[in-house]
Amino acid sequence: MIMDLQKRKELKKKLYTIIFKTDTEEGKRFDIILLNVILLSVILAAIESVVAFNARYALPFRICEWIITILFTIEYATRIYCSPNRKKYIFSVYGIIDLLSILPFFIGILYSSTHYLIVIRALRLLRIFRILKLTHFLKEGNHLVDSLRRSVKKIMIFTYFIMILVTILGALMYLVEGSVNPSFSNIPKSIYWAVVTITTVGYGDITPITFLGQTISVIVMLLGYSILAVPTGIISSELIKPLRKKNITCPNCGENKHEADASYCKNCGTFLPHNNNNLS
Amino acid sequence: MIMDLQKRKELKKKLYTIIFKTDTEEGKRFDIILLNVILLSVILAAIESVVAFNARYALPFRICEWIITILFTIEYATRIYCSPNRKKYIFSVYGIIDLLSILPFFIGILYSSTHYLIVIRALRLLRIFRILKLTHFLKEGNHLVDSLRRSVKKIMIFTYFIMILVTILGALMYLVEGSVNPSFSNIPKSIYWAVVTITTVGYGDITPITFLGQTISVIVMLLGYSILAVPTGIISSELIKPLRKKNITCPNCGENKHEADASYCKNCGTFLPHNNNNLS
Amino acid sequence: MIMDLQKRKELKKKLYTIIFKTDTEEGKRFDIILLNVILLSVILAAIESVVAFNARYALPFRICEWIITILFTIEYATRIYCSPNRKKYIFSVYGIIDLLSILPFFIGILYSSTHYLIVIRALRLLRIFRILKLTHFLKEGNHLVDSLRRSVKKIMIFTYFIMILVTILGALMYLVEGSVNPSFSNIPKSIYWAVVTITTVGYGDITPITFLGQTISVIVMLLGYSILAVPTGIISSELIKPLRKKNITCPNCGENKHEADASYCKNCGTFLPHNNNNLS
Amino acid sequence: MIMDLQKRKELKKKLYTIIFKTDTEEGKRFDIILLNVILLSVILAAIESVVAFNARYALPFRICEWIITILFTIEYATRIYCSPNRKKYIFSVYGIIDLLSILPFFIGILYSSTHYLIVIRALRLLRIFRILKLTHFLKEGNHLVDSLRRSVKKIMIFTYFIMILVTILGALMYLVEGSVNPSFSNIPKSIYWAVVTITTVGYGDITPITFLGQTISVIVMLLGYSILAVPTGIISSELIKPLRKKNITCPNCGENKHEADASYCKNCGTFLPHNNNNLS
């Protein structure tokens, strides 16, 4: 009985290593197979949505989907089984995604309309970032992620400003074009137009037809032109920043934002022993 | 009688603290409520403009609008009442926006066409920047604003150049396409096309159909491609600039590449007298 | 007789100061009036091209144009008359633009179709850069112009590469879509589509309809996405560059690309006397 | 007999110098002529695809093409003949392109549908980069290429992320719009729309029509707006990087921020032994 428990524990540990760990040989192999199955499943869902294909090969598609979903369900169950901290896994981002990627299939049996929600499985592809963490992409990826994280706050202020601007522009265009141009028949549509224009997407499904409307559009475009430059500038400067300052902490005052070639603390004048290129 | 005056003065001061100040507990709470009401009012105006909604729920919408406008009017009156310098408030940017956000409603009673101008209330959302000033967004925001302000002059020269370019291109396309393509039937329209193209918005409501016209378009696009890069470059370099060092020369070793906030020479540890922000 | 010659010489000199110079009081005033007249003339030509306007106010427009053209002709004649080096002026960029801005009017009397070429007058607005040279815009403008000039070579290599890419993509799409999609009926049109797509303009007048065509488009767009980043990167780095290196020339070897804080030539080790912050 | 072999060897060497080398007078002249012929051939193929032209001038076009293809065939044969390492040339990128540029013509005689593949000749224009290598473009070009190469890894991670994002967005829009909007009739089409939108191309051939669809689009656009900034930031920071200094430490004073090409310490004038490119 105890042996059995011991065995089960070992099995659990082994499964954990294969499924959750990414730095062992088996873990890596498992993850690569998993990623390919996810990719296959997403491609299948995409192809299935094409009517012509679907009609002809309805059965094989259905079977493939059944197989993949069963595999995913088994995997999900195993993950819960072998996880040392089940609650943590179930409510983690990856855990929720794993659940969401099998749920639509089972609901789809009852309500066929939700069937295509299985494409949510594409989210599971994000798992690649867990694997990449262990390769040489690590440094690059992290640097990128760090810079983006630092940019987020600034870009959010900026996006908030854009949203106010876009609301005002939308309302203005509604007043100018609304009465003669059915495309600008209400404010939400006009705001949609303003976003389409200011981001330089420019579908052309809603375009101004009056002279005043076109003049305002021209101003909006020239504005959007310069505005587009701001997030780029923010991210560029964040990406350049980390190349500047090393983390040298002053042993006296704790100041830790020194330049790479500083020998003395800029704040209190103490010698920085860390930087031993200078006086060795 | 004197007591009454004293009381009134105190009331005025208290109202001033609540309405105008943003660094007290009550001031903050008031501003957050205000922002939510403004947001609600803007969303209401947007929804109201949708015909289908409007027809069905005309009455409740009207009532909501009445309530919000009365609230805004009371607020505006109180602001004038408790402001220590009334003229300054009334003619300040915020004062004018506050007036503009209630005026269209009252005019709208007489002339219903101006009714939708109440969307101008979206401008009141800019008030958030006053609140943000006091939070930790301050530094970020200001740095951004400073960089943008410094970029404005350069970008204005640049925009002027773009406007000349766009006029010439518009005239050229009018000559080339005008006779065969009704979309290019006059020069203002052609200028509109040139702006749509050079900013890469590309609605597609006006497109060249002749071979020569398409060839010119291709050149314009490749041009616009590089031109789009200029404002981005300007803003990027301005955003990077403040990270650079001021020219502070060390009196001992002559090192002159110190950071703006350095008090001691990074090279020899000598005190930098120039930088008197630190020890004055 | 001699007096007369003397007088004429003085008149010539005075006219030269007014018309050509931009750093005197009269010169500035003349240039500002001139710019406004040019602007008016361009706006007139633009409005005139609108059929509705033209039909109603044909006569006043014609008269205005006559007046402006006569003014420009007098100005052009005076410029030739008072220029100390006539040939140089006539064949200078500004001289040719000045001639081109009056020529279409006179030819337009004979051949009315060339009439709208008078919009070429917009080129005269470039004269503003001559005036700006003398104001505080000088430094900003030159810095910008310098950076752009240095970027031009790199961007030209880049544009050449884009042109090859676009030709190949155009041909490819012609092969893929040509037989089923009338929009891709020949290679020049397909190249036009490739430019429209890769520059993210995206008119939508020519769009792929086959699955393969749309797949190629997706790749082209994701490509164009990254490609768009290159000219921006080039210009950004050029705009940042000039903040780096001062022009310190080595008295020994002539090397002139030293860092701002260099005391010794990086090439031959000679002391750089120019940089006297260091050892004074 | 031996003389003959000697002569042949000399001829081979001479041909090699002319055809393959780009640093001799004859080599340069040959390459420039070749580039012009390639360009002509591409232009011919493009013009030929235009039906109207083709019908009228079918014969002269055919003849031109024959002449050019024969020239290319002779060139290809000569290249194989005089190459010192034939296998290496045949399987090199340039060798394969050279073969591909003549093959479609000969296959086109049998199967006329592949005829237009001769546009693949445009790839031969890439040969210009071999010639440019020897001119003053060298440094610029290489710097650009180096920076781009270093950016590729980061941009690939980024593109992978974009592809997942685009798949999920496509599936989402398919669920939202699919039932009412024939443009979103399947998932691949919706993914195509997502790419068109996020890259700000915005053809407008597929646009949302429901309120929810338009709301999602607005979020996608504002997202794409910031996303567009990332590759630009990556390339910008890579282009700025090489301007930074290598870590060469001076053995005398310890200064470690020298430029990559410095031979002497900028601070004290000591010779830097590390940098042995200069005096070896």
Side-chain angles (χ1 to χ4, degrees):
Chain A
M1 208 49 181
I2 292 164
M3 270 302 278
D4 199 52
L5 201 83
Q6 186 63 24
K7 259 189 186 164
R8 231 195 273 169
K9 223 174 177 177
E10 258 170 43
L11 176 75
K12 227 168 140 172
K13 208 175 173 182
K14 189 147 192 218
L15 280 169
Y16 177 75
T17 313
I18 294 172
I19 298 188
F20 280 96
K21 288 283 166 126
T22 47
D23 49 358
T24 61
E25 199 55 38
E26 303 111 315
K28 238 183 213 169
R29 214 179 302 136
F30 175 80
D31 275 323
I32 286 163
I33 293 169
L34 181 62
L35 274 178
N36 283 315
V37 175
I38 297 168
L39 202 67
L40 183 77
S41 128
V42 170
I43 292 168
L44 278 178
I47 295 173
E48 207 189 342
S49 73
V50 183
V51 179
F53 272 95
N54 201 1
R56 229 182 290 175
Y57 307 101
L59 197 70
F61 271 100
R62 276 271 104 173
I63 293 167
C64 283
E65 217 172 86
W66 270 95
I67 295 169
I68 287 168
T69 311
I70 289 164
L71 283 176
F72 282 2
T73 313
I74 294 168
E75 187 216 338
Y76 184 63
T78 318
R79 273 184 197 272
I80 291 173
Y81 172 71
C82 73
S83 172
N85 187 340
R86 282 170 193 183
K87 236 184 195 164
K88 204 186 140 198
Y89 165 67
I90 292 171
F91 294 104
S92 72
V93 178
Y94 284 115
I96 292 165
I97 290 175
D98 289 352
L99 181 63
L100 285 175
S101 68
I102 50 171
L103 224 59
F105 180 81
F106 294 112
I107 301 171
I109 297 170
L110 304 172
Y111 309 96
S112 64
S113 65
T114 65
H115 173 69
Y116 286 114
L117 274 167
I118 56 162
V119 173
I120 225 163
R121 277 172 192 171
L123 277 170
R124 292 200 78 190
L125 290 172
L126 290 172
R127 196 173 285 274
I128 203 165
F129 290 111
R130 289 204 63 197
I131 303 171
L132 288 182
K133 251 193 193 155
L134 301 158
T135 71
H136 55 291
F137 283 127
L138 171 72
K139 247 177 164 178
E140 307 286 346
N142 271 10
H143 176 203
L144 204 61
V145 170
D146 276 6
S147 301
L148 295 182
R149 195 172 296 148
R150 263 176 296 138
S151 309
V152 160
K153 214 201 292 173
K154 285 182 193 173
I155 286 181
M156 265 169 60
I157 300 179
F158 183 73
T159 305
Y160 182 83
F161 176 73
I162 295 282
M163 271 154 66
I164 297 175
L165 186 70
V166 145
T167 307
I168 294 165
L169 287 172
L172 188 65
M173 281 302 274
Y174 170 68
L175 292 169
V176 170
E177 293 266 330
S179 54
V180 291
N181 190 343
S183 301
F184 289 90
S185 61
N186 57 55
I187 291 176
K189 256 194 189 177
S190 302
I191 292 173
Y192 165 75
W193 167 86
V195 174
V196 167
T197 302
I198 222 162
T199 57
T200 78
V201 170
Y203 283 140
D205 52 347
I206 302 180
T207 52
I209 53 169
T210 66
F211 180 74
L212 189 57
Q214 292 183 338
T215 309
I216 294 169
S217 300
V218 162
I219 295 164
V220 172
M221 282 171 221
L222 290 176
L223 216 73
Y225 204 71
S226 307
I227 283 171
L228 201 68
V230 176
T232 308
I234 291 169
I235 290 176
S236 290
S237 72
E238 284 301 335
L239 275 167
I240 292 163
K241 236 191 221 166
L243 303 168
R244 299 273 169 115
K245 284 173 196 189
K246 247 198 266 180
N247 261 357
I248 311 169
T249 310
C250 173
N252 184 34
C253 71
E255 171 72 47
N256 65 350
K257 276 197 156 183
H258 294 101
E259 288 183 276
D261 67 343
S263 308
Y264 292 91
C265 173
K266 68 176 179 182
N267 219 18
C268 66
T270 307
F271 176 61
L272 299 167
H274 174 80
N275 195 348
N276 50 9
N277 305 327
N278 217 18
L279 290 165
S280 57
Chain B
M1 209 49 180
I2 293 162
M3 272 302 279
D4 199 52
L5 201 82
Q6 187 63 23
K7 259 186 185 165
R8 234 196 271 170
K9 223 174 179 176
E10 259 168 43
L11 175 75
K12 226 167 141 174
K13 206 173 174 182
K14 192 150 189 213
L15 280 169
Y16 178 74
T17 313
I18 295 173
I19 299 188
F20 280 96
K21 288 281 168 128
T22 48
D23 50 358
T24 60
E25 201 56 40
E26 303 112 315
K28 240 182 213 169
R29 215 180 301 136
F30 174 80
D31 274 324
I32 286 163
I33 294 169
L34 181 62
L35 273 178
N36 282 316
V37 176
I38 296 168
L39 203 65
L40 184 77
S41 127
V42 171
I43 292 169
L44 278 178
I47 294 172
E48 207 188 342
S49 73
V50 183
V51 179
F53 272 95
N54 201 3
R56 226 181 294 175
Y57 307 102
L59 198 69
F61 271 99
R62 273 283 91 175
I63 293 166
C64 282
E65 217 173 86
W66 269 95
I67 294 168
I68 287 168
T69 311
I70 288 163
L71 283 176
F72 281 1
T73 313
I74 294 167
E75 186 216 340
Y76 184 64
T78 319
R79 273 184 197 272
I80 291 173
Y81 171 70
C82 74
S83 172
N85 185 342
R86 283 171 191 181
K87 236 183 196 166
K88 203 185 141 200
Y89 164 68
I90 293 171
F91 294 105
S92 74
V93 177
Y94 285 115
I96 291 164
I97 291 174
D98 290 351
L99 181 62
L100 284 176
S101 69
I102 50 172
L103 223 60
F105 179 81
F106 295 114
I107 300 171
I109 297 170
L110 304 173
Y111 308 95
S112 63
S113 66
T114 65
H115 174 67
Y116 286 114
L117 275 167
I118 58 162
V119 174
I120 227 162
R121 278 170 192 173
L123 278 171
R124 292 202 78 190
L125 291 171
L126 290 172
R127 196 173 283 275
I128 204 166
F129 290 110
R130 291 206 60 196
I131 303 170
L132 288 182
K133 253 196 193 152
L134 300 158
T135 71
H136 55 293
F137 283 126
L138 170 72
K139 247 179 165 176
E140 307 285 347
N142 272 10
H143 176 203
L144 205 60
V145 170
D146 276 5
S147 301
L148 295 181
R149 195 171 298 148
R150 262 176 297 138
S151 309
V152 160
K153 214 202 290 174
K154 286 182 193 173
I155 287 181
M156 265 168 62
I157 300 179
F158 184 72
T159 305
Y160 181 83
F161 176 72
I162 294 283
M163 271 155 66
I164 296 174
L165 187 70
V166 146
T167 308
I168 294 165
L169 287 170
L172 188 65
M173 283 301 275
Y174 170 69
L175 291 169
V176 169
E177 293 266 330
S179 53
V180 291
N181 190 343
S183 301
F184 289 90
S185 62
N186 57 55
I187 290 176
K189 256 194 189 177
S190 302
I191 292 173
Y192 165 74
W193 167 86
V195 174
V196 168
T197 302
I198 222 161
T199 57
T200 78
V201 170
Y203 283 140
D205 52 348
I206 301 179
T207 52
I209 53 170
T210 66
F211 180 74
L212 189 57
Q214 291 183 340
T215 309
I216 294 170
S217 301
V218 163
I219 295 164
V220 171
M221 281 170 219
L222 291 176
L223 215 73
Y225 204 72
S226 308
I227 282 172
L228 201 68
V230 176
T232 308
I234 291 169
I235 289 175
S236 290
S237 72
E238 285 300 335
L239 276 167
I240 292 161
K241 239 191 220 165
L243 305 166
R244 260 160 235 280
K245 307 121 197 180
K246 246 197 264 178
N247 262 356
I248 311 168
T249 309
C250 172
N252 183 34
C253 72
E255 172 71 49
N256 66 348
K257 273 201 157 181
H258 295 101
E259 290 183 277
D261 65 345
S263 307
Y264 292 90
C265 173
K266 65 175 179 179
N267 220 19
C268 65
T270 307
F271 176 61
L272 298 168
H274 172 81
N275 194 350
N276 51 7
N277 306 327
N278 214 25
L279 291 164
S280 57
Chain C
M1 207 55 180
I2 292 163
M3 272 301 279
D4 199 51
L5 201 84
Q6 187 64 23
K7 258 186 184 166
R8 236 196 268 170
K9 223 173 176 178
E10 259 169 41
L11 176 75
K12 227 164 141 175
K13 207 173 173 183
K14 189 145 194 218
L15 281 170
Y16 177 75
T17 313
I18 295 173
I19 299 188
F20 280 96
K21 289 281 169 124
T22 47
D23 50 357
T24 60
E25 200 56 40
E26 303 112 314
K28 241 181 210 168
R29 213 179 303 138
F30 174 80
D31 275 323
I32 287 163
I33 294 170
L34 180 62
L35 274 178
N36 283 317
V37 176
I38 296 167
L39 204 66
L40 184 76
S41 128
V42 171
I43 292 168
L44 278 179
I47 295 173
E48 207 188 342
S49 73
V50 183
V51 178
F53 272 94
N54 200 2
R56 224 181 294 173
Y57 307 102
L59 196 68
F61 270 100
R62 268 298 77 181
I63 292 166
C64 282
E65 217 173 86
W66 269 95
I67 293 167
I68 288 168
T69 311
I70 288 163
L71 282 175
F72 281 2
T73 313
I74 293 168
E75 186 216 340
Y76 183 63
T78 318
R79 271 183 199 272
I80 291 173
Y81 172 71
C82 74
S83 172
N85 186 341
R86 282 170 192 183
K87 239 182 193 166
K88 204 185 140 198
Y89 164 68
I90 293 172
F91 294 103
S92 73
V93 177
Y94 284 115
I96 291 164
I97 292 175
D98 289 352
L99 181 62
L100 284 175
S101 70
I102 49 172
L103 223 60
F105 180 81
F106 294 113
I107 300 172
I109 297 171
L110 304 172
Y111 309 96
S112 64
S113 65
T114 65
H115 173 68
Y116 286 114
L117 275 167
I118 57 163
V119 173
I120 227 162
R121 278 173 191 169
L123 278 170
R124 292 202 77 189
L125 291 171
L126 291 171
R127 196 172 284 274
I128 205 166
F129 290 111
R130 291 205 61 194
I131 303 171
L132 289 181
K133 254 196 195 153
L134 301 158
T135 71
H136 54 294
F137 283 127
L138 170 71
K139 247 178 164 177
E140 306 284 348
N142 271 11
H143 176 204
L144 205 62
V145 170
D146 275 6
S147 301
L148 296 181
R149 195 172 297 149
R150 262 175 299 137
S151 309
V152 160
K153 216 201 290 174
K154 286 181 191 173
I155 288 181
M156 264 168 62
I157 300 178
F158 183 73
T159 306
Y160 182 82
F161 176 73
I162 295 283
M163 271 154 66
I164 297 174
L165 188 69
V166 146
T167 307
I168 295 165
L169 287 170
L172 189 66
M173 283 301 276
Y174 170 69
L175 291 169
V176 169
E177 294 266 329
S179 54
V180 292
N181 190 342
S183 301
F184 288 89
S185 62
N186 57 55
I187 291 176
K189 255 193 189 177
S190 302
I191 293 174
Y192 165 74
W193 167 86
V195 174
V196 167
T197 302
I198 221 162
T199 56
T200 79
V201 170
Y203 282 139
D205 52 348
I206 302 180
T207 52
I209 53 170
T210 66
F211 179 73
L212 188 57
Q214 290 183 341
T215 309
I216 294 170
S217 300
V218 162
I219 295 164
V220 172
M221 281 170 221
L222 291 176
L223 215 74
Y225 204 70
S226 307
I227 282 172
L228 201 68
V230 176
T232 310
I234 291 169
I235 290 176
S236 291
S237 72
E238 284 301 335
L239 275 167
I240 292 162
K241 234 191 225 166
L243 305 167
R244 299 272 168 114
K245 284 177 196 183
K246 245 196 268 179
N247 262 356
I248 311 169
T249 310
C250 172
N252 184 34
C253 71
E255 171 72 48
N256 64 350
K257 276 197 157 182
H258 294 101
E259 290 183 276
D261 67 343
S263 307
Y264 292 90
C265 174
K266 66 177 178 179
N267 219 19
C268 64
T270 307
F271 176 61
L272 298 168
H274 173 80
N275 194 349
N276 49 9
N277 305 328
N278 215 21
L279 291 166
S280 57
Chain D
M1 207 54 177
I2 293 163
M3 270 303 278
D4 200 52
L5 201 85
Q6 187 63 24
K7 258 188 185 165
R8 235 195 269 169
K9 223 174 177 176
E10 258 168 42
L11 176 75
K12 227 165 139 173
K13 208 173 171 183
K14 187 143 194 221
L15 280 170
Y16 178 75
T17 313
I18 294 173
I19 299 188
F20 280 97
K21 289 281 169 125
T22 47
D23 49 357
T24 59
E25 199 56 40
E26 302 111 315
K28 239 183 212 167
R29 214 180 302 136
F30 174 81
D31 275 323
I32 286 164
I33 293 169
L34 181 62
L35 274 178
N36 283 316
V37 175
I38 297 167
L39 203 67
L40 183 76
S41 128
V42 170
I43 292 169
L44 278 179
I47 295 173
E48 206 188 342
S49 74
V50 183
V51 179
F53 272 94
N54 200 2
R56 226 181 293 172
Y57 308 101
L59 196 71
F61 271 100
R62 274 271 106 169
I63 293 166
C64 283
E65 219 172 84
W66 269 95
I67 293 168
I68 288 168
T69 311
I70 289 164
L71 283 176
F72 281 3
T73 314
I74 293 168
E75 186 216 340
Y76 184 62
T78 317
R79 271 183 199 272
I80 291 174
Y81 172 71
C82 73
S83 173
N85 186 341
R86 281 169 193 183
K87 239 183 192 164
K88 205 186 139 198
Y89 165 66
I90 291 171
F91 294 104
S92 73
V93 177
Y94 284 116
I96 291 164
I97 291 175
D98 289 352
L99 181 63
L100 284 174
S101 68
I102 50 173
L103 223 60
F105 180 81
F106 294 112
I107 300 171
I109 296 171
L110 304 172
Y111 308 97
S112 64
S113 65
T114 64
H115 173 69
Y116 285 115
L117 275 167
I118 56 162
V119 173
I120 226 162
R121 279 173 191 170
L123 279 170
R124 293 201 78 190
L125 291 171
L126 291 172
R127 197 173 283 273
I128 204 166
F129 290 111
R130 290 204 61 196
I131 303 172
L132 288 181
K133 253 194 193 155
L134 300 157
T135 71
H136 55 292
F137 283 127
L138 171 72
K139 248 177 162 175
E140 306 286 347
N142 272 9
H143 177 203
L144 205 62
V145 169
D146 276 6
S147 301
L148 296 181
R149 196 173 295 148
R150 264 176 295 138
S151 309
V152 160
K153 216 201 290 174
K154 287 182 191 171
I155 288 182
M156 265 169 61
I157 300 178
F158 184 73
T159 305
Y160 182 84
F161 177 73
I162 295 283
M163 271 154 67
I164 297 175
L165 187 69
V166 147
T167 307
I168 294 165
L169 287 171
L172 188 66
M173 283 302 275
Y174 171 68
L175 291 168
V176 170
E177 293 266 330
S179 54
V180 293
N181 190 343
S183 301
F184 289 89
S185 62
N186 57 55
I187 291 176
K189 255 194 189 177
S190 303
I191 293 173
Y192 165 74
W193 167 86
V195 174
V196 167
T197 302
I198 223 162
T199 56
T200 79
V201 170
Y203 283 139
D205 52 347
I206 301 180
T207 52
I209 53 170
T210 66
F211 179 73
L212 188 57
Q214 291 183 341
T215 309
I216 294 170
S217 300
V218 162
I219 295 163
V220 172
M221 281 170 222
L222 290 176
L223 215 73
Y225 204 69
S226 307
I227 283 172
L228 200 68
V230 176
T232 308
I234 291 169
I235 290 176
S236 291
S237 72
E238 284 300 334
L239 275 167
I240 291 162
K241 241 190 218 165
L243 304 167
R244 264 159 233 283
K245 306 121 196 181
K246 248 198 262 177
N247 262 355
I248 311 168
T249 310
C250 173
N252 183 35
C253 72
E255 172 70 49
N256 66 348
K257 273 200 156 182
H258 294 102
E259 289 182 277
D261 66 344
S263 308
Y264 291 91
C265 173
K266 68 175 178 182
N267 220 17
C268 66
T270 307
F271 176 61
L272 300 167
H274 173 81
N275 195 349
N276 50 7
N277 306 327
N278 216 23
L279 291 165
S280 57

